Amino acid sequence: DAGVTQSPTHLIKTRGQHVTLRCSPISGHKSVSWYQQVLGQGPQFIFQYYEKEERGRGNFPDRFSARQFPNYSSELNVNALLLGDSALYLCASSPGLPNTEAFFGQGTRLTVV
Amino acid sequence: RKEVEQDPGPFNVPEGATVAFNCTYSNSASQSFFWYRQDCRKEPKLLMSVYSSGNEDGRFTAQLNRASQYISLLIRDSKLSDSATYLCVDLTGTASKLTFGTGTRLQVTL
């Protein structure tokens, strides 16, 4: 069985550029959440989507946006990249709400130069 | 005050030792709690859920004290393979937001 898959695994972008990160949840899971993890810190909640609707948003600027597709996959978009956006971006998949059982993908490591 | 606070460590212990990690949370409305394990440059993986009655899984024991808003993880007979960062997590709100602590790094040595 495939776990949570994220793409790309690594990415280097220049300040001011835009980036799109992708996530495919475990088959049958309808909830996807996005987290940002900077070095030395725990993951920070960015968004949660369930049944294609945004159900929660963390304390991140409007440069961050996301969406969930009919097949439950999801995209995280970040505009006008800053150096401080360099981090590991993690996608978590869960069957539904509440997400008492969240499974994480391997993450996308974004470096902004 | 951070929502979930942990001692970042590192905890350096010899193989076979017993080690305990503590965590406090600030949101009295938090519904559920978990311990996740994260290896270097890897994704977090669920280690165990934490219940008010406490729960045990092999060498690992988790306890929750709601009155003190305190969570603990005890690892007995530490193995080299236990070396990792242990993340204390609470689940809050209708969005089922997971709030992570900064993590406690454990290094088990020979």
Side-chain angles (χ1 to χ4, degrees), chain B residues 48-72:
Chain B
M48 59 198 306
S49 302
V50 187
Y51 304 118
S52 296
S53 54
N55 51 309
E56 188 173 313
D57 183 3
R59 299 181 293 109
F60 298 83
T61 300
Q63 294 276 356
L64 165 64
N65 183 323
R66 285 195 183 271
S68 303
Q69 296 186 196
Y70 170 97
I71 302 157
S72 65

PDB file of all heavy atoms in Angstrom, chain B residues 48-72:
ATOM      1  N   MET B  48       2.920   6.727  19.845  1.00  0.00           N
ATOM      2  CA  MET B  48       1.786   6.255  20.623  1.00  0.00           C
ATOM      3  C   MET B  48       0.857   7.394  20.994  1.00  0.00           C
ATOM      4  O   MET B  48       1.269   8.555  21.047  1.00  0.00           O
ATOM      5  CB  MET B  48       2.232   5.506  21.865  1.00  0.00           C
ATOM      6  CG  MET B  48       3.084   6.285  22.832  1.00  0.00           C
ATOM      7  SD  MET B  48       3.978   5.229  23.994  1.00  0.00           S
ATOM      8  CE  MET B  48       2.687   4.225  24.715  1.00  0.00           C
ATOM      9  N   SER B  49      -0.401   7.044  21.214  1.00  0.00           N
ATOM     10  CA  SER B  49      -1.372   7.996  21.744  1.00  0.00           C
ATOM     11  C   SER B  49      -1.231   8.029  23.265  1.00  0.00           C
ATOM     12  O   SER B  49      -0.662   7.111  23.870  1.00  0.00           O
ATOM     13  CB  SER B  49      -2.782   7.574  21.360  1.00  0.00           C
ATOM     14  OG  SER B  49      -2.903   7.477  19.953  1.00  0.00           O
ATOM     15  N   VAL B  50      -1.735   9.082  23.874  1.00  0.00           N
ATOM     16  CA  VAL B  50      -1.625   9.238  25.326  1.00  0.00           C
ATOM     17  C   VAL B  50      -3.024   9.356  25.892  1.00  0.00           C
ATOM     18  O   VAL B  50      -3.789  10.232  25.481  1.00  0.00           O
ATOM     19  CB  VAL B  50      -0.816  10.501  25.693  1.00  0.00           C
ATOM     20  CG1 VAL B  50      -0.566  10.546  27.190  1.00  0.00           C
ATOM     21  CG2 VAL B  50       0.488  10.560  24.929  1.00  0.00           C
ATOM     22  N   TYR B  51      -3.354   8.497  26.834  1.00  0.00           N
ATOM     23  CA  TYR B  51      -4.693   8.501  27.422  1.00  0.00           C
ATOM     24  C   TYR B  51      -4.592   8.864  28.897  1.00  0.00           C
ATOM     25  O   TYR B  51      -3.554   8.690  29.532  1.00  0.00           O
ATOM     26  CB  TYR B  51      -5.342   7.121  27.268  1.00  0.00           C
ATOM     27  CG  TYR B  51      -5.396   6.644  25.843  1.00  0.00           C
ATOM     28  CD1 TYR B  51      -4.735   5.487  25.448  1.00  0.00           C
ATOM     29  CD2 TYR B  51      -6.093   7.365  24.876  1.00  0.00           C
ATOM     30  CE1 TYR B  51      -4.774   5.050  24.136  1.00  0.00           C
ATOM     31  CE2 TYR B  51      -6.141   6.934  23.564  1.00  0.00           C
ATOM     32  CZ  TYR B  51      -5.482   5.772  23.200  1.00  0.00           C
ATOM     33  OH  TYR B  51      -5.531   5.350  21.891  1.00  0.00           O
ATOM     34  N   SER B  52      -5.704   9.330  29.445  1.00  0.00           N
ATOM     35  CA  SER B  52      -5.724   9.732  30.857  1.00  0.00           C
ATOM     36  C   SER B  52      -5.353   8.571  31.767  1.00  0.00           C
ATOM     37  O   SER B  52      -4.733   8.771  32.822  1.00  0.00           O
ATOM     38  CB  SER B  52      -7.101  10.261  31.243  1.00  0.00           C
ATOM     39  OG  SER B  52      -7.401  11.421  30.523  1.00  0.00           O
ATOM     40  N   SER B  53      -5.707   7.382  31.347  1.00  0.00           N
ATOM     41  CA  SER B  53      -5.420   6.214  32.178  1.00  0.00           C
ATOM     42  C   SER B  53      -3.986   5.742  32.003  1.00  0.00           C
ATOM     43  O   SER B  53      -3.545   4.817  32.676  1.00  0.00           O
ATOM     44  CB  SER B  53      -6.379   5.083  31.816  1.00  0.00           C
ATOM     45  OG  SER B  53      -6.305   4.835  30.425  1.00  0.00           O
ATOM     46  N   GLY B  54      -3.264   6.382  31.077  1.00  0.00           N
ATOM     47  CA  GLY B  54      -1.909   5.936  30.780  1.00  0.00           C
ATOM     48  C   GLY B  54      -1.945   4.752  29.838  1.00  0.00           C
ATOM     49  O   GLY B  54      -2.928   4.017  29.789  1.00  0.00           O
ATOM     50  N   ASN B  55      -0.907   4.600  29.053  1.00  0.00           N
ATOM     51  CA  ASN B  55      -0.852   3.431  28.208  1.00  0.00           C
ATOM     52  C   ASN B  55       0.591   3.000  27.980  1.00  0.00           C
ATOM     53  O   ASN B  55       1.508   3.798  28.087  1.00  0.00           O
ATOM     54  CB  ASN B  55      -1.573   3.652  26.867  1.00  0.00           C
ATOM     55  CG  ASN B  55      -1.146   4.898  26.148  1.00  0.00           C
ATOM     56  OD1 ASN B  55      -1.130   5.973  26.739  1.00  0.00           O
ATOM     57  ND2 ASN B  55      -0.804   4.781  24.880  1.00  0.00           N
ATOM     58  N   GLU B  56       0.708   1.720  27.718  1.00  0.00           N
ATOM     59  CA  GLU B  56       2.024   1.107  27.608  1.00  0.00           C
ATOM     60  C   GLU B  56       2.097   0.319  26.310  1.00  0.00           C
ATOM     61  O   GLU B  56       1.128  -0.341  25.912  1.00  0.00           O
ATOM     62  CB  GLU B  56       2.237   0.169  28.808  1.00  0.00           C
ATOM     63  CG  GLU B  56       3.633  -0.390  28.943  1.00  0.00           C
ATOM     64  CD  GLU B  56       3.806  -1.165  30.237  1.00  0.00           C
ATOM     65  OE1 GLU B  56       3.393  -0.660  31.298  1.00  0.00           O
ATOM     66  OE2 GLU B  56       4.331  -2.292  30.177  1.00  0.00           O
ATOM     67  N   ASP B  57       3.252   0.408  25.664  1.00  0.00           N
ATOM     68  CA  ASP B  57       3.477  -0.356  24.440  1.00  0.00           C
ATOM     69  C   ASP B  57       4.912  -0.854  24.483  1.00  0.00           C
ATOM     70  O   ASP B  57       5.845  -0.129  24.136  1.00  0.00           O
ATOM     71  CB  ASP B  57       3.241   0.529  23.213  1.00  0.00           C
ATOM     72  CG  ASP B  57       3.387  -0.241  21.909  1.00  0.00           C
ATOM     73  OD1 ASP B  57       3.612  -1.467  21.957  1.00  0.00           O
ATOM     74  OD2 ASP B  57       3.277   0.376  20.842  1.00  0.00           O
ATOM     75  N   GLY B  58       5.064  -2.074  24.959  1.00  0.00           N
ATOM     76  CA  GLY B  58       6.414  -2.631  25.087  1.00  0.00           C
ATOM     77  C   GLY B  58       7.238  -1.851  26.091  1.00  0.00           C
ATOM     78  O   GLY B  58       6.852  -1.698  27.241  1.00  0.00           O
ATOM     79  N   ARG B  59       8.345  -1.287  25.618  1.00  0.00           N
ATOM     80  CA  ARG B  59       9.250  -0.548  26.499  1.00  0.00           C
ATOM     81  C   ARG B  59       8.808   0.899  26.723  1.00  0.00           C
ATOM     82  O   ARG B  59       9.460   1.630  27.476  1.00  0.00           O
ATOM     83  CB  ARG B  59      10.656  -0.566  25.894  1.00  0.00           C
ATOM     84  CG  ARG B  59      11.245  -1.960  25.747  1.00  0.00           C
ATOM     85  CD  ARG B  59      12.660  -1.912  25.155  1.00  0.00           C
ATOM     86  NE  ARG B  59      12.673  -1.441  23.775  1.00  0.00           N
ATOM     87  CZ  ARG B  59      13.138  -0.265  23.401  1.00  0.00           C
ATOM     88  NH1 ARG B  59      13.641   0.587  24.290  1.00  0.00           N
ATOM     89  NH2 ARG B  59      13.132   0.078  22.124  1.00  0.00           N
ATOM     90  N   PHE B  60       7.750   1.308  26.072  1.00  0.00           N
ATOM     91  CA  PHE B  60       7.304   2.696  26.109  1.00  0.00           C
ATOM     92  C   PHE B  60       6.025   2.838  26.952  1.00  0.00           C
ATOM     93  O   PHE B  60       5.085   2.069  26.791  1.00  0.00           O
ATOM     94  CB  PHE B  60       7.024   3.198  24.689  1.00  0.00           C
ATOM     95  CG  PHE B  60       8.230   3.179  23.803  1.00  0.00           C
ATOM     96  CD1 PHE B  60       8.614   2.017  23.149  1.00  0.00           C
ATOM     97  CD2 PHE B  60       8.988   4.326  23.622  1.00  0.00           C
ATOM     98  CE1 PHE B  60       9.751   1.996  22.342  1.00  0.00           C
ATOM     99  CE2 PHE B  60      10.112   4.317  22.812  1.00  0.00           C
ATOM    100  CZ  PHE B  60      10.494   3.156  22.172  1.00  0.00           C
ATOM    101  N   THR B  61       6.034   3.839  27.825  1.00  0.00           N
ATOM    102  CA  THR B  61       4.860   4.141  28.639  1.00  0.00           C
ATOM    103  C   THR B  61       4.567   5.633  28.557  1.00  0.00           C
ATOM    104  O   THR B  61       5.473   6.452  28.738  1.00  0.00           O
ATOM    105  CB  THR B  61       5.082   3.764  30.118  1.00  0.00           C
ATOM    106  OG1 THR B  61       5.358   2.367  30.207  1.00  0.00           O
ATOM    107  CG2 THR B  61       3.849   4.080  30.945  1.00  0.00           C
ATOM    108  N   ALA B  62       3.310   5.968  28.271  1.00  0.00           N
ATOM    109  CA  ALA B  62       2.900   7.373  28.195  1.00  0.00           C
ATOM    110  C   ALA B  62       1.863   7.651  29.266  1.00  0.00           C
ATOM    111  O   ALA B  62       1.027   6.796  29.573  1.00  0.00           O
ATOM    112  CB  ALA B  62       2.330   7.683  26.819  1.00  0.00           C
ATOM    113  N   GLN B  63       1.968   8.833  29.862  1.00  0.00           N
ATOM    114  CA  GLN B  63       1.021   9.230  30.913  1.00  0.00           C
ATOM    115  C   GLN B  63       0.515  10.633  30.623  1.00  0.00           C
ATOM    116  O   GLN B  63       1.239  11.478  30.093  1.00  0.00           O
ATOM    117  CB  GLN B  63       1.717   9.246  32.277  1.00  0.00           C
ATOM    118  CG  GLN B  63       2.167   7.899  32.783  1.00  0.00           C
ATOM    119  CD  GLN B  63       1.064   7.128  33.477  1.00  0.00           C
ATOM    120  OE1 GLN B  63      -0.042   7.640  33.657  1.00  0.00           O
ATOM    121  NE2 GLN B  63       1.346   5.893  33.848  1.00  0.00           N
ATOM    122  N   LEU B  64      -0.735  10.886  31.020  1.00  0.00           N
ATOM    123  CA  LEU B  64      -1.339  12.209  30.880  1.00  0.00           C
ATOM    124  C   LEU B  64      -1.892  12.623  32.229  1.00  0.00           C
ATOM    125  O   LEU B  64      -2.594  11.853  32.888  1.00  0.00           O
ATOM    126  CB  LEU B  64      -2.471  12.156  29.845  1.00  0.00           C
ATOM    127  CG  LEU B  64      -3.441  13.332  29.797  1.00  0.00           C
ATOM    128  CD1 LEU B  64      -2.728  14.616  29.398  1.00  0.00           C
ATOM    129  CD2 LEU B  64      -4.594  13.044  28.843  1.00  0.00           C
ATOM    130  N   ASN B  65      -1.584  13.838  32.638  1.00  0.00           N
ATOM    131  CA  ASN B  65      -2.133  14.401  33.861  1.00  0.00           C
ATOM    132  C   ASN B  65      -2.865  15.682  33.465  1.00  0.00           C
ATOM    133  O   ASN B  65      -2.245  16.731  33.257  1.00  0.00           O
ATOM    134  CB  ASN B  65      -1.017  14.708  34.862  1.00  0.00           C
ATOM    135  CG  ASN B  65      -1.550  15.240  36.178  1.00  0.00           C
ATOM    136  OD1 ASN B  65      -2.526  15.988  36.216  1.00  0.00           O
ATOM    137  ND2 ASN B  65      -0.915  14.851  37.274  1.00  0.00           N
ATOM    138  N   ARG B  66      -4.193  15.595  33.322  1.00  0.00           N
ATOM    139  CA  ARG B  66      -4.972  16.751  32.842  1.00  0.00           C
ATOM    140  C   ARG B  66      -4.973  17.889  33.867  1.00  0.00           C
ATOM    141  O   ARG B  66      -4.980  19.057  33.494  1.00  0.00           O
ATOM    142  CB  ARG B  66      -6.406  16.342  32.509  1.00  0.00           C
ATOM    143  CG  ARG B  66      -6.524  15.562  31.217  1.00  0.00           C
ATOM    144  CD  ARG B  66      -7.969  15.485  30.745  1.00  0.00           C
ATOM    145  NE  ARG B  66      -8.097  14.682  29.545  1.00  0.00           N
ATOM    146  CZ  ARG B  66      -7.983  15.185  28.313  1.00  0.00           C
ATOM    147  NH1 ARG B  66      -7.748  16.480  28.138  1.00  0.00           N
ATOM    148  NH2 ARG B  66      -8.119  14.406  27.259  1.00  0.00           N
ATOM    149  N   ALA B  67      -4.968  17.536  35.138  1.00  0.00           N
ATOM    150  CA  ALA B  67      -5.012  18.580  36.174  1.00  0.00           C
ATOM    151  C   ALA B  67      -3.777  19.471  36.094  1.00  0.00           C
ATOM    152  O   ALA B  67      -3.861  20.691  36.245  1.00  0.00           O
ATOM    153  CB  ALA B  67      -5.122  17.939  37.555  1.00  0.00           C
ATOM    154  N   SER B  68      -2.624  18.866  35.833  1.00  0.00           N
ATOM    155  CA  SER B  68      -1.369  19.624  35.748  1.00  0.00           C
ATOM    156  C   SER B  68      -1.018  19.981  34.310  1.00  0.00           C
ATOM    157  O   SER B  68       0.013  20.629  34.083  1.00  0.00           O
ATOM    158  CB  SER B  68      -0.221  18.824  36.373  1.00  0.00           C
ATOM    159  OG  SER B  68      -0.506  18.500  37.705  1.00  0.00           O
ATOM    160  N   GLN B  69      -1.816  19.521  33.348  1.00  0.00           N
ATOM    161  CA  GLN B  69      -1.563  19.766  31.921  1.00  0.00           C
ATOM    162  C   GLN B  69      -0.149  19.318  31.563  1.00  0.00           C
ATOM    163  O   GLN B  69       0.655  20.099  31.016  1.00  0.00           O
ATOM    164  CB  GLN B  69      -1.848  21.230  31.563  1.00  0.00           C
ATOM    165  CG  GLN B  69      -3.312  21.565  31.762  1.00  0.00           C
ATOM    166  CD  GLN B  69      -3.713  22.954  31.306  1.00  0.00           C
ATOM    167  OE1 GLN B  69      -4.760  23.446  31.669  1.00  0.00           O
ATOM    168  NE2 GLN B  69      -2.902  23.597  30.517  1.00  0.00           N
ATOM    169  N   TYR B  70       0.087  18.059  31.824  1.00  0.00           N
ATOM    170  CA  TYR B  70       1.430  17.494  31.768  1.00  0.00           C
ATOM    171  C   TYR B  70       1.362  16.113  31.120  1.00  0.00           C
ATOM    172  O   TYR B  70       0.460  15.321  31.411  1.00  0.00           O
ATOM    173  CB  TYR B  70       1.897  17.412  33.233  1.00  0.00           C
ATOM    174  CG  TYR B  70       3.152  16.674  33.513  1.00  0.00           C
ATOM    175  CD1 TYR B  70       4.354  17.326  33.642  1.00  0.00           C
ATOM    176  CD2 TYR B  70       3.116  15.293  33.727  1.00  0.00           C
ATOM    177  CE1 TYR B  70       5.497  16.629  33.954  1.00  0.00           C
ATOM    178  CE2 TYR B  70       4.253  14.597  34.042  1.00  0.00           C
ATOM    179  CZ  TYR B  70       5.445  15.277  34.168  1.00  0.00           C
ATOM    180  OH  TYR B  70       6.575  14.593  34.481  1.00  0.00           O
ATOM    181  N   ILE B  71       2.317  15.847  30.224  1.00  0.00           N
ATOM    182  CA  ILE B  71       2.379  14.564  29.524  1.00  0.00           C
ATOM    183  C   ILE B  71       3.794  14.019  29.686  1.00  0.00           C
ATOM    184  O   ILE B  71       4.757  14.796  29.691  1.00  0.00           O
ATOM    185  CB  ILE B  71       2.088  14.759  28.027  1.00  0.00           C
ATOM    186  CG1 ILE B  71       0.717  15.399  27.815  1.00  0.00           C
ATOM    187  CG2 ILE B  71       2.163  13.450  27.259  1.00  0.00           C
ATOM    188  CD1 ILE B  71       0.618  16.098  26.490  1.00  0.00           C
ATOM    189  N   SER B  72       3.924  12.720  29.795  1.00  0.00           N
ATOM    190  CA  SER B  72       5.257  12.140  29.922  1.00  0.00           C
ATOM    191  C   SER B  72       5.399  10.920  29.013  1.00  0.00           C
ATOM    192  O   SER B  72       4.416  10.302  28.611  1.00  0.00           O
ATOM    193  CB  SER B  72       5.528  11.746  31.375  1.00  0.00           C
ATOM    194  OG  SER B  72       4.642  10.714  31.758  1.00  0.00           O
TER     195      SER B  72
END
